[in-house]
Amino acid sequence: MSTWTEDELRRVGDAEELRVASYRRDGSLRPYVIIWVVRVGDDLVIRSAYGPDNGWYRRAKASGRGRIRAGGVERDVEFADAASDGPAAHAAIDAAYHAKYDRHGPRIVGTVVGDEVIETTFRLVPTGT
């Protein structure tokens, strides 16, 4: 399994937005969707605003793999389910979202923090080179 370099973690973690696409069964890439991303330690984390019925989230969960673009970095990734990472991990993820995006206001940031979104949390695990 591959890991993020410090440069990739910084560049993707500092990016305002991330583009994410999942792979179809035939190996083709779905269209990219723009979402928020946070860095927590050596992990890059994404969550589905508006819950598990969000289209990009459903497709990513079904596929388990995709591709991301942010901060000049483009990598294939595995969407690793982070729901069971525990309360401390999710508190750190919430804190990272607040630190990075609170300027957008509580109504918007509220869609990606709290207990309601824990089940829609993915760690992005780089694959390949």
Side-chain angles (χ1 to χ4, degrees):
M1 181 184 313
S2 187
T3 59
W4 296 110
T5 67
E6 181 60 34
D7 182 58
E8 289 171 326
L9 286 168
R10 181 188 51 75
R11 289 166 53 194
V12 174
D14 288 350
E16 179 68 13
E17 297 173 326
L18 174 127
R19 285 165 175 70
V20 61
S22 57
Y23 281 101
R24 294 181 179 100
R25 287 185 195 177
D26 68 5
S28 64
L29 200 59
R30 294 184 181 281
Y32 283 91
V33 175
I34 298 171
I35 62 170
W36 285 349
V37 60
V38 293
R39 177 182 176 178
V40 180
D42 290 338
D43 289 322
L44 296 169
V45 179
I46 57 176
R47 284 178 164 168
S48 175
Y50 313 112
D53 292 329
N54 197 320
W56 78 261
Y57 173 79
R58 283 192 338 267
R59 291 184 296 272
K61 187 167 180 76
S63 172
R65 61 191 189 91
R67 191 157 188 84
I68 60 105
R69 292 177 177 164
V73 174
E74 185 167 348
R75 292 285 303 264
D76 281 328
V77 295
E78 173 188 325
F79 301 113
D81 184 357
S84 63
D85 285 358
H90 288 287
I93 295 167
D94 283 355
Y97 271 105
H98 280 296
K100 187 171 181 182
Y101 296 111
D102 265 359
R103 69 185 182 285
H104 294 285
R107 185 180 64 78
I108 296 171
V109 175
T111 66
V112 289
V113 297
D115 292 342
E116 300 80 25
V117 294
I118 288 174
E119 293 300 318
T120 67
T121 305
F122 287 133
R123 264 180 287 100
L124 300 174
V125 179
T127 60
T129 55

